[in-house]
Amino acid sequence: MTQHTASQKSSLSLNLRYMAMQIPYWMGFSILSSFASVFLLSRHLSDGQIGVVLAAGNLLAVLLQPLAASLADRSVRFTLSQFTAILALVMVLTAVLLAFLPAAASGAILYAFLYTVLMVLQPLTISLGTFYILRGQPLNFGLARGMGSLAFAAASALGGWLIDRTGADAVPFMVIACFSLFFFSLFGLPTGRKAVTAGPEDGACVSSEKPCSLPEFFRSYKRFILLLAGVSLLFTYHNILNTYLYQIMEPLGGTAGDVGVCLSIAAVCELPTMFLFAWLYKRFRCSSLMRTAALFFTLKSLVILLANHIWLINLAQCLQIFAFALHTAASVYYTNQVIPPKDQVKGQALMTTANTVGGVLGTFLGGQLLLVWGVSNMLLTGTLLSALGTVIVFLSAENRQTVKK
């Protein structure tokens, strides 16, 4: 076997193992986030109460994401993959409790906790990828994340179909299945010191410098922090849409099955961008890609605001190709470019935290607006916030890079 062939097989193996981790995570994410309203309504919670539950889960995640990333980075006892596996096991056990404790209060508390751990896991799944990338390993993050989007689409469609036929109580059982698979997939991604050997060129990106503290990070990377504020506003609308899509579509004759199909369309439209991102990355600045994604977040919100039929909402979901999909891949590489290696784990965690802050605002604000002013005003408010976020991203995205392509 030639060295080139061995290298190709090693690359294929790593990418398959990383995909095997992404797929069940995003299937579980799809079920837990997309059908939150459907499940919690079945437990007799109001729209306003649902907003409080999901906002509480997101708020806890905002506080815990940077801490969890720092703990995973500094832990001597557990590697990054082991730490992630522990949280996956917590997800499974909590979902078991949710399945067999039918009371509204216990359901609300457990769902909020599940949502928190789900969001805490997100930056860790990204860090698992950057662990290999920074050590010169040929991991195609966009391709793997694209497979996660495909899994999200499949889970959305299947989840909507199952809920229509068996009821909302199917949600915790689907979560159990997804995160059990996620737990076992992590054993194929070792992240100890001897897990990989750094490549001769890219391996130099691994820094032995001590990461700065959170206050120091905020002082050192002020423009990055401003960009995170814009991202949070973009994700405020994004989370309003995803969390309350059932309530948005119901007046137009939509069902849980229609919600599943609508979310599947968005997830499938993410695939071309995810799969081709390595090509885009070589030809366009990451700052330009971030600005383009921000613009399409707002264009999508405008189309949904004006939609008077389910097919128009489905059409708007096609803009996902240049909105969420482009942001998801570009934000990982953008953070790696503008944040030095010693602070990149924290940078990735804070980028995800910005998304989660949008989740706090979106789920809470959306629920209250829906309760008081109705669907139209909720969508109008979300669109205005998205437009403000777009302006901030345009002003704060920077072209400099600390790590060469």
Side-chain angles (χ1 to χ4, degrees):
M1 181 185 299
T2 66
Q3 185 176 355
H4 179 66
T5 303
S7 176
Q8 284 184 321
K9 287 191 174 182
S10 175
S11 172
L12 178 62
S13 174
L14 173 61
N15 280 280
L16 288 175
R17 284 182 282 129
Y18 190 64
M19 285 179 200
M21 181 273 294
Q22 286 276 338
I23 287 170
Y25 175 77
W26 286 104
M27 289 180 72
F29 193 105
S30 170
I31 298 300
L32 198 61
S33 61
S34 302
F35 300 104
S37 288
V38 178
F39 178 80
L40 292 173
L41 285 170
S42 77
R43 293 289 175 97
H44 310 296
L45 273 71
S46 68
D47 290 328
Q49 289 171 331
I50 291 170
V52 171
V53 168
L54 298 181
N58 275 303
L59 181 59
L60 283 172
V62 167
L63 301 174
L64 294 177
Q65 279 172 340
L67 294 177
S70 180
L71 181 61
D73 191 39
R74 297 171 182 267
S75 176
V76 175
R77 185 173 182 182
F78 300 108
T79 66
L80 176 61
S81 52
Q82 290 170 340
F83 185 77
T84 307
I86 290 169
L87 292 180
L89 188 59
V90 170
M91 289 284 291
V92 172
L93 296 176
T94 306
V96 170
L97 290 175
L98 183 65
F100 294 103
L101 293 176
S106 61
I109 293 169
L110 291 171
Y111 211 96
F113 181 72
L114 275 173
Y115 209 84
T116 298
V117 182
L118 175 76
M119 300 307 294
V120 169
L121 278 169
Q122 191 174 344
L124 298 181
T125 65
I126 295 171
S127 294
L128 283 166
T130 57
F131 174 89
Y132 290 96
I133 292 170
L134 290 174
R135 285 158 178 78
Q137 302 301 304
L139 177 68
N140 189 329
F141 177 83
L143 177 63
R145 183 59 183 80
M147 293 304 296
S149 292
L150 185 60
F152 186 104
S156 295
L158 179 61
W161 181 83
L162 283 174
I163 291 169
D164 274 348
R165 283 155 182 78
T166 65
D169 286 337
V171 169
F173 292 100
M174 288 187 281
V175 172
I176 291 168
C178 292
F179 283 95
S180 294
L181 291 172
F182 178 68
F183 172 80
F184 287 110
S185 72
L186 290 163
F187 292 98
L189 290 169
T191 53
R193 291 184 178 181
K194 298 181 179 179
V196 295
T197 302
E201 183 176 343
D202 294 331
C205 294
V206 182
S207 175
S208 60
E209 294 181 72
K210 183 179 178 181
C212 67
S213 66
L214 274 175
E216 290 172 337
F217 188 99
F218 276 73
R219 287 195 298 269
S220 301
Y221 310 112
K222 293 178 181 177
R223 193 165 172 179
F224 182 75
I225 298 302
L226 179 60
L227 180 131
L228 296 184
V231 169
S232 293
L233 291 173
L234 294 174
F235 273 77
T236 298
Y237 176 81
H238 181 74
N239 282 279
I240 286 175
L241 175 63
N242 286 346
T243 303
Y244 301 105
L245 186 58
Y246 179 73
Q247 288 92 328
I248 293 168
M249 297 183 74
E250 190 178 31
L252 303 177
T255 65
D258 292 317
V259 171
V261 170
C262 186
L263 291 169
S264 296
I265 291 170
V268 168
C269 287
E270 294 172 10
L271 299 180
T273 302
M274 299 290 190
F275 290 159
L276 296 173
F277 188 78
W279 180 86
L280 292 170
Y281 178 61
K282 292 176 181 177
R283 287 160 177 80
F284 301 97
R285 290 175 174 175
C286 267
S287 56
S288 299
L289 296 177
M290 291 287 288
R291 291 185 179 110
T292 300
L295 178 62
F296 274 88
F297 267 107
T298 299
L299 288 176
K300 177 180 173 181
S301 70
L302 282 170
V303 175
I304 291 176
L305 176 65
L306 300 173
N308 59 3
H309 197 280
I310 288 175
W311 73 265
L312 284 172
I313 296 178
N314 290 339
L315 181 64
Q317 293 286 55
C318 296
L319 296 177
Q320 194 87 330
I321 188 172
F322 297 118
F324 177 80
L326 189 58
H327 170 85
T328 297
S331 63
V332 172
Y333 287 88
Y334 176 83
T335 302
N336 278 358
Q337 280 190 10
V338 301
I339 303 298
K342 69 184 182 73
D343 292 318
Q344 282 180 2
V345 172
K346 195 177 280 84
Q348 295 292 353
L350 287 171
M351 179 61 77
T352 306
T353 299
N355 302 346
T356 312
V357 169
V360 175
L361 295 172
T363 50
F364 178 76
L365 183 62
Q368 304 315 307
L369 289 172
L370 190 62
L371 184 66
V372 177
W373 284 347
V375 171
S376 296
N377 286 307
M378 177 185 72
L379 291 176
L380 176 60
T381 303
T383 299
L384 293 174
L385 291 174
S386 182
L388 178 59
T390 297
V391 171
I392 294 174
V393 170
F394 264 75
L395 294 175
S396 58
E398 52 190 320
N399 298 327
R400 72 177 181 88
Q401 58 186 63
T402 61
V403 180
K404 293 181 180 180
K405 292 186 183 183

